């Protein structure tokens, strides 16, 4: 496998997915309506760093993302090697995705949307979107997606510009470093 293809494969994990073809995790997918964001507006440049939980000593893999989101929709562009490799749009009705031909099919945009919902949507909207048997709970460290009282995914916010997702069900730790995009 070429170095560029191997690096593109890591976008899978960097965007909220496992870095190897994932086994079914049983985690619910969320497609929450952007209108639930209310008046919140986001225009962020992000660096995503992922570490597989079964390889904690391996260096994290990284990708750059541009994210724009408000009550009308979500637009995410992922970049590797100076080129756009992924464009994802969510308007509350349809998830439209454009992928670079080198981007592996394992990159799961439904999981990416789920993780975005967990990080940015209000807690009440997340709770309303979960299937029976699941809970979105506040913890001392942040929030946890629980099934049967067991945390399957934890979201922590160590600082205003950093979010950490530890997804034990799908085997990754995702660190999201965000900066507001420059106004132009």
């Amino acid at each position: 496998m070429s170095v560029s293809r191997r690096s593109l494969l890591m976008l899978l994990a960097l965007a909220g997915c496992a870095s190897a073809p994932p086994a079914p995790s049983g985690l619910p997918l969320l497609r929450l309506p952007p209108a639930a964001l209310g008046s919140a507006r986001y225009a962020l440049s992000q660096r995503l760093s992922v570490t597989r939980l079964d390889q904690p000593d391996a260096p994290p893999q990284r990708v750059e993302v541009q994210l724009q989101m408000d009550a009308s929709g979500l637009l995410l562009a992922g970049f590797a090697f100076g080129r756009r490799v992924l464009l994802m749009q969510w308007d509350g009705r349809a998830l439209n995705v454009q992928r670079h031909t080198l981007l592996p099919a394992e990159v799961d945009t439904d999981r990416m949307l789920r993780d975005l919902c967990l990080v940015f949507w209000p807690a009440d909207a997340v709770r309303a979107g979960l299937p029976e048997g699941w809970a979105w709970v506040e913890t001392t460290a942040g929030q946890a997606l629980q099934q049967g009282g067991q945390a399957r995914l934890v979201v922590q916010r160590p600082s205003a510009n950093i979010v950490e997702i530890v997804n034990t069900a799908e085997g990754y730790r995702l660190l999201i470093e965000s900066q507001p995009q420059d106004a132009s």
Side-chain angles (χ1 to χ4, degrees), residues 150-166:
Q150 296 294 315
R152 304 282 308 276
L153 180 149
V154 175
V155 176
Q156 300 176 353
R157 292 173 171 79
S159 73
N161 294 331
I162 297 177
V163 174
E164 179 184 46
I165 297 174
V166 177

Side-chain angles (χ1 to χ4, degrees), residues 66 73 86 110 115 141 146 173:
Q66 299 294 310
L86 178 67
D110 284 318
D115 287 358
Q146 294 183 349
R173 174 186 172 269

Side-chain angles (χ1 to χ4, degrees), residues 19-182:
S19 60
S25 68
L27 291 182
L29 298 178
L30 293 173
R31 287 190 169 206
L32 302 179
L37 290 168
S39 62
R41 300 177 66 87
Y42 301 95
L44 302 171
S45 296
Q46 298 180 314
R47 169 170 285 166
L48 308 181
S49 303
V50 72
T51 306
R52 287 180 43 159
L53 294 179
D54 64 351
Q55 297 178 358
D57 295 330
Q61 300 295 314
R62 294 185 171 88
V63 70
E64 304 298 320
V65 169
Q66 299 294 310
L67 175 65
Q68 295 182 1
M69 215 171 17
D70 62 23
S72 66
L74 170 150
L75 178 65
L76 178 142
F79 296 88
F81 311 108
R83 67 176 7 157
R84 189 183 79 203
V85 295
L86 178 67
L87 181 65
M88 188 170 97
Q89 297 174 291
W90 170 242
D91 65 3
R93 292 180 302 279
L95 179 61
N96 296 308
V97 176
Q98 295 176 12
R99 308 164 71 94
H100 189 280
T101 56
L102 293 177
L103 188 66
E106 294 87 1
V107 173
D108 188 335
T109 53
D110 284 318
R111 288 183 183 186
M112 293 169 59
L113 181 56
R114 180 211 46 224
D115 287 358
L116 287 165
C117 289
L118 293 174
V119 169
F120 290 102
W121 266 251
D124 288 340
V126 172
R127 286 184 194 104
L130 290 173
E132 187 175 332
W134 289 89
W136 184 238
V137 299
E138 298 293 324
T139 68
T140 56
Q143 296 89 20
L145 181 60
Q146 294 183 349
Q147 181 183 35
Q150 296 294 315
R152 304 282 308 276
L153 180 149
V154 175
V155 176
Q156 300 176 353
R157 292 173 171 79
S159 73
N161 294 331
I162 297 177
V163 174
E164 179 184 46
I165 297 174
V166 177
N167 184 331
T168 55
E170 295 168 346
Y172 65 86
R173 174 186 172 269
L174 176 63
L175 186 68
I176 305 168
E177 301 170 89
S178 299
Q179 294 297 323
Q181 291 179 356
D182 293 331

